[in-house]
Amino acid sequence: MKYSKTNFDNKTILITGGAGFIGSNLAFYFQEYYPDSKIVIFDCFRSEAKFSNGNLKSFGHYKNLIGFTGDIICGNINNPDDLALLNQTKFDYIFHQAAISDTRVYDQEIVMKTNVNSFFWFLEKTKKDNATLIYASSAATYGSMTSPQKIGFENPENPYGYSKYVMDQIAYRYARENPDMQVIGLRFFNVFGPREYFKAKTSSMVIQLGHQILNGQAPRLFENSDAILRDFIFIEDVIQANIKACNPKTNGVFNVGTGLPRSFQDIADILQIELGVDLGTEYFPNPFKGYQTHTQADITSSRENLNFNPTFSLEDGIRAYLPEIKRLHNEPLE
Ligand SMILES: NC(=O)c1ccc[n+]([C@@H]2O[C@H](COP(=O)([O-])OP(=O)(O)OC[C@H]3O[C@@H](n4cnc5c(N)ncnc54)[C@H](O)[C@@H]3O)[C@@H](O)[C@H]2O)c1
């Protein structure tokens, strides 16, 4: 669906992190609805390098981009020479998704360098090109602040959440000092949907539990999962937010959630109903400290300033996603 009156045809659009989950969905959105837009993806793609937590350093995967016909630049946002390749093009819109997206990377130096230092480059590029910058912030900025989470009341509890919080502060300053700039931060809550598969253990519980159930296993959840609530948002509504953020009433940082928290138990139950099975649920102790047990986006200002209007319930999103979950079920992660 077209979410904006803006005609993006003939616009030049940069999507960093375009080989990842949200970035690749954005790329296909523009390709489908604005075939005459010029789309450039900048992503380092995955190498075999891993963080000390055992997860890959990058989840970008070429298979997310099969069928994409725009330009692709393989580059690292930490490398000035790679970034300089983008100077050959003047962009109208920059969607900055590239980041260490893994909330359980505790090496503060690498998280801050990757997520924060590179942000200055994209802000400067936005200024130089007179572009609009839409960048990914996160609900992790809130840590365990009580629900509903509201912009201006943050308490990040991991380096990832802190890095996004710092990006937001830098964005506010740039927007203040450069009133002509358009800089919009989007605090995504728990996103799920097609093209997240290669995030493996960091993908949503929708696909992870879906695959457990399709394996004939009882879905495995932390104890008390009926009391652990999150604001789960389907990728289509996240795309809506990104597109609408191109015409904001004001610069700022905005929550992107449904405003309706649901439990992890709900996900397991909906999946079993939709798949027509009843395998029960297996519970195990939650090993994580600083775990968010209740998130709920206050989307008042997102509605007012972006005209953001989420449309997918958890049930709707899971139903729309299930054919893809089934298709991927037998595809080995590589
Ligand atoms: N998915 C969610 O639920 C969620 C929630 C809150 C915020 N976010 C944020 O949204 C953005 C997109 O998330 P996603 O779920 O698509 O994650 P993702 O990991 O699938 O995508 C991130 C992309 O960035 C690329 N990347 C990582 N480090 C890079 C580097 N140094 N140089 C160049 N490219 C690099 C990766 O290859 C990957 O393709 C991220 O900034 C993430 O922090 C996502």
Side-chain angles (χ1 to χ4, degrees), residues 262-277:
R262 301 292 299 271
S263 72
F264 284 100
Q265 187 71 56
D266 284 337
I267 295 179
D269 294 348
I270 296 165
L271 281 165
Q272 300 214 58
I273 291 168
E274 290 298 324
L275 290 168
V277 295

Side-chain angles (χ1 to χ4, degrees), residues 6 12 56 63 74 80 85 108 117 145 172-173 176 178-179 185 204 209 218 232 245-246 251 253 257 286 303 314 323:
T6 301
T12 305
L56 286 174
K63 283 192 180 172
C74 181
L85 296 169
Q108 301 186 18
N117 288 11
M145 292 299 284
Y172 280 129
R173 178 175 66 73
R176 217 171 35 241
N178 304 278
S204 77
L209 295 175
F232 300 105
C246 295
N251 282 328
V253 179
N286 182 350
R303 284 188 193 279
L314 184 58

Side-chain angles (χ1 to χ4, degrees), residues 16-23 42-46 57-61 75-78 96-101 114-115 136-139 160 164 186-192 195 199:
T16 74
F21 170 33
I22 297 171
F42 184 90
D43 198 298
C44 64
F45 289 78
R46 66 182 47 201
K57 285 193 170 175
S58 152
F59 298 119
H61 200 297
N76 197 307
I77 55 174
N78 291 320
H96 181 42
Q97 305 293 329
I100 292 176
S101 65
T114 306
N115 293 2
S137 180
S138 170
Y160 167 80
K164 295 287 184 178
L186 298 178
R187 284 192 183 156
F188 305 138
F189 278 61
N190 280 63
V191 190
F192 67 98
R195 302 196 178 91
K199 292 180 72 176

Side-chain angles (χ1 to χ4, degrees), residues 33-321:
Y33 290 102
Y34 302 97
D36 290 326
S37 59
K38 179 172 166 38
I39 311 164
V40 179
I41 281 176
F42 184 90
D43 198 298
C44 64
F45 289 78
R46 66 182 47 201
S47 66
E48 289 172 355
K50 291 184 176 173
F51 288 118
S52 59
N53 67 7
N55 292 340
L56 286 174
K57 285 193 170 175
S58 152
F59 298 119
H61 200 297
Y62 75 89
K63 283 192 180 172
N64 284 334
L65 289 172
I66 302 274
F68 172 70
T69 53
D71 287 353
I72 296 180
I73 296 175
C74 181
N76 197 307
I77 55 174
N78 291 320
N79 183 336
D81 292 339
D82 291 351
L83 289 170
L85 296 169
L86 295 171
N87 282 331
Q88 293 162 9
T89 310
K90 182 177 181 299
F91 294 100
D92 297 301
Y93 296 92
I94 298 176
F95 294 88
H96 181 42
Q97 305 293 329
I100 292 176
S101 65
D102 185 342
T103 56
R104 300 208 178 104
V105 175
Y106 299 114
D107 179 336
Q108 301 186 18
E109 182 183 13
I110 187 66
V111 173
M112 293 301 287
K113 273 193 175 154
T114 306
N115 293 2
V116 178
N117 288 11
S118 60
F119 192 45
F120 290 103
W121 192 92
F122 288 101
L123 282 159
E124 283 300 318
K125 176 73 173 153
T126 301
K127 196 160 122 182
K128 197 169 82 192
D129 288 3
N130 197 19
T132 295
L133 175 66
I134 320 281
Y135 70 91
S137 180
S138 170
T141 51
Y142 294 114
S144 53
M145 292 299 284
T146 49
S147 289
Q149 287 78 28
K150 208 174 156 119
I151 308 291
F153 300 89
E154 297 83 5
N155 186 22
E157 288 181 13
N158 55 37
Y160 167 80
Y162 180 69
S163 72
K164 295 287 184 178
Y165 173 75
V166 172
M167 287 172 72
D168 292 341
Q169 304 316 305
I170 296 167
Y172 280 129
R173 178 175 66 73
Y174 255 79
R176 217 171 35 241
E177 292 174 358
N178 304 278
D180 293 340
M181 275 181 84
Q182 273 206 337
V183 183
I184 296 92
L186 298 178
R187 284 192 183 156
F188 305 138
F189 278 61
N190 280 63
V191 190
F192 67 98
R195 302 196 178 91
E196 65 166 319
Y197 175 66
F198 293 105
K199 292 180 72 176
K201 284 183 191 159
T202 74
S203 63
S204 77
M205 288 315 291
V206 175
I207 187 165
Q208 295 193 50
L209 295 175
H211 283 177
Q212 286 168 23
I213 295 166
L214 287 167
N215 283 339
Q217 297 158 345
R220 296 190 79 234
L221 290 177
F222 294 149
E223 286 161 356
N224 300 320
S225 275
D226 56 339
I228 305 176
L229 276 70
R230 293 277 177 90
D231 194 326
F232 300 105
I233 181 154
F234 189 52
I235 184 69
E236 184 61 32
D237 281 332
V238 169
I239 298 299
Q240 181 202 144
N242 275 276
I243 302 306
K244 289 188 171 173
C246 295
N247 297 103
K249 278 194 191 153
T250 173
N251 282 328
V253 179
F254 300 98
N255 283 338
V256 177
T258 61
L260 301 168
R262 301 292 299 271
S263 72
F264 284 100
Q265 187 71 56
D266 284 337
I267 295 179
D269 294 348
I270 296 165
L271 281 165
Q272 300 214 58
I273 291 168
E274 290 298 324
L275 290 168
V277 295
D278 185 2
L279 302 165
T281 309
E282 190 186 319
Y283 300 100
F284 64 104
N286 182 350
F288 299 113
K289 292 198 178 107
Y291 190 77
Q292 289 179 305
T293 53
H294 197 292
T295 65
Q296 175 180 14
D298 179 333
I299 54 171
T300 318
S301 75
S302 322
R303 284 188 193 279
E304 276 171 20
N305 293 299
L306 305 183
N307 189 28
F308 172 60
N309 181 26
T311 57
F312 282 80
S313 66
L314 184 58
E315 284 80 356
D316 294 339
I318 289 178
R319 242 174 256 132
Y321 188 13

